[in-house]
Amino acid sequence: MNDDTDRDMNRDPITKSPGSHPVGTGVGAAGGAAAGAAIGGVFGPVGMLVGGTIGAIAGGGAGHAVGERINPTAETEYWREEASSRDYYLEDKRFDRDYHPAYRYGWETRTEYADRDWDDSLEADLKERWTAIRDDSTLKWEDARPAIYDAWNRTDRTYNFYSDVDKFYSNRYEEADYLDDDYDYEDYLPAYRYGAYCRTRYPEREWDDRLETELEDEWNDFKGNSRLAWNKAVDAVRDGWHAVERKLPGDFDNDGR
């Protein structure tokens, strides 16, 4: 069977059986630039989680994010790059002084109010606290609100993304042909998360030797409490990477497949 045919069969990343749709809903698989464009559109950017207990978010979204938190350094750098592209960004304001406190407030309160949705009641609570926690920011609530909401939504998207990954692999990792009995789920899950995260981080790239080398260089920064060395983790990372593609909507690129 050639590579194109095998890819079209949308194989499960663990069992290799055709026609699977891991990590939530959706059908179809893709490669190259088309997959990259679709991944960017379907998922949007996701952040990183640090700390906590492996699998704590399995079960769905920020409401189940016990023991997990957003990586504040990564979020700060993300918004530093993205903030000026937002239509609410005021050119006479500064990121570090004015907008960073708003973004931080957004991702921190999404975790603090894990079991609440953004509604009028919540917004009233956040507005009341903004003046007290905004540090040196000169943004009034009306100007800070869209940035806070932006960071809140990105945090929600991040938690839900990893929840999908966790739920999919929690009952399936034992079927993997690369499983080493000396390790358990808490060792493998950081590798699945890392692969899935990197697929959204590099939407225009394909898995190849160069990418694999780059991911190896960063594995120790992402592995957390996993005991897996890279040679033990790489197959799970690759599975996490390809699993993201299998969530894409069917025939997203209108090629008739």
Side-chain angles (χ1 to χ4, degrees):
M1 181 177 292
N2 63 41
D3 290 342
D4 289 338
T5 301
D6 191 59
R7 183 166 58 246
D8 289 349
M9 291 181 73
N10 192 30
R11 291 188 179 277
D12 185 292
I14 288 183
T15 67
K16 311 307 178 187
S17 61
S20 66
H21 311 301
V23 198
T25 60
V27 297
I39 288 168
V42 171
F43 295 106
V46 298
M48 293 182 291
L49 298 179
V50 296
T53 303
I54 293 299
I57 62 172
H64 297 268
V66 179
E68 298 280 358
R69 65 185 178 91
I70 293 292
N71 184 317
T73 301
E75 292 304 293
T76 296
E77 292 311 306
Y78 172 80
W79 288 114
R80 188 185 303 279
E81 293 294 322
E82 291 292 321
S84 61
S85 67
R86 297 305 204 258
D87 58 8
Y88 55 74
Y89 190 86
L90 301 175
E91 296 298 331
D92 63 335
K93 302 299 181 181
R94 302 204 303 265
F95 176 81
D96 288 307
R97 183 193 66 191
D98 299 309
Y99 278 98
H100 180 240
Y103 289 122
R104 185 181 66 235
Y105 190 42
W107 75 65
E108 288 180 348
T109 53
R110 185 64 194 108
T111 303
E112 179 183 351
Y113 295 106
D115 294 316
R116 294 180 65 178
D117 294 325
W118 186 287
D119 55 21
D120 291 343
S121 175
L122 175 72
E123 189 168 323
D125 291 344
L126 299 186
K127 179 180 180 180
E128 183 177 354
R129 294 174 55 191
W130 170 241
T131 301
I133 63 89
R134 67 182 186 179
D135 297 328
D136 295 327
S137 176
T138 64
L139 295 179
K140 297 180 180 179
W141 170 255
E142 291 73 18
D143 295 323
R145 179 196 177 281
I148 296 167
Y149 184 63
D150 218 356
W152 171 287
N153 274 339
R154 173 173 155 85
T155 301
D156 229 7
R157 184 165 58 247
T158 295
Y159 281 130
N160 284 316
F161 176 82
Y162 288 115
S163 179
D164 274 356
V165 173
D166 291 8
K167 286 187 290 185
F168 175 68
Y169 284 109
S170 63
N171 297 317
R172 301 173 66 86
Y173 86 103
E174 292 180 342
E175 303 173 34
D177 56 10
Y178 52 76
L179 180 67
D180 187 323
D181 291 336
D182 290 334
Y183 303 97
D184 56 30
Y185 180 59
E186 293 195 3
D187 295 306
Y188 281 98
L189 188 56
Y192 295 130
R193 287 184 175 185
Y194 180 47
Y197 163 73
C198 288
R199 189 65 185 100
T200 68
R201 181 183 178 190
Y202 301 116
E204 302 300 331
R205 297 184 64 176
E206 296 186 34
W207 186 284
D208 55 22
D209 291 343
R210 180 181 176 185
L211 175 72
E212 190 170 311
T213 298
E214 293 177 19
L215 301 193
E216 178 181 4
D217 290 341
E218 295 185 340
W219 168 237
N220 286 336
D221 295 330
F222 283 82
K223 64 187 293 185
N225 294 326
S226 173
R227 296 173 294 166
L228 298 179
W230 177 252
N231 67 315
K232 293 288 188 180
V234 59
D235 289 326
V237 174
R238 186 186 299 110
D239 276 354
W241 171 281
H242 289 302
V244 172
E245 296 174 358
R246 290 169 171 80
K247 187 177 178 177
L248 301 179
D251 198 23
F252 68 90
D253 53 359
N254 298 313
D255 66 354
R257 292 189 300 180

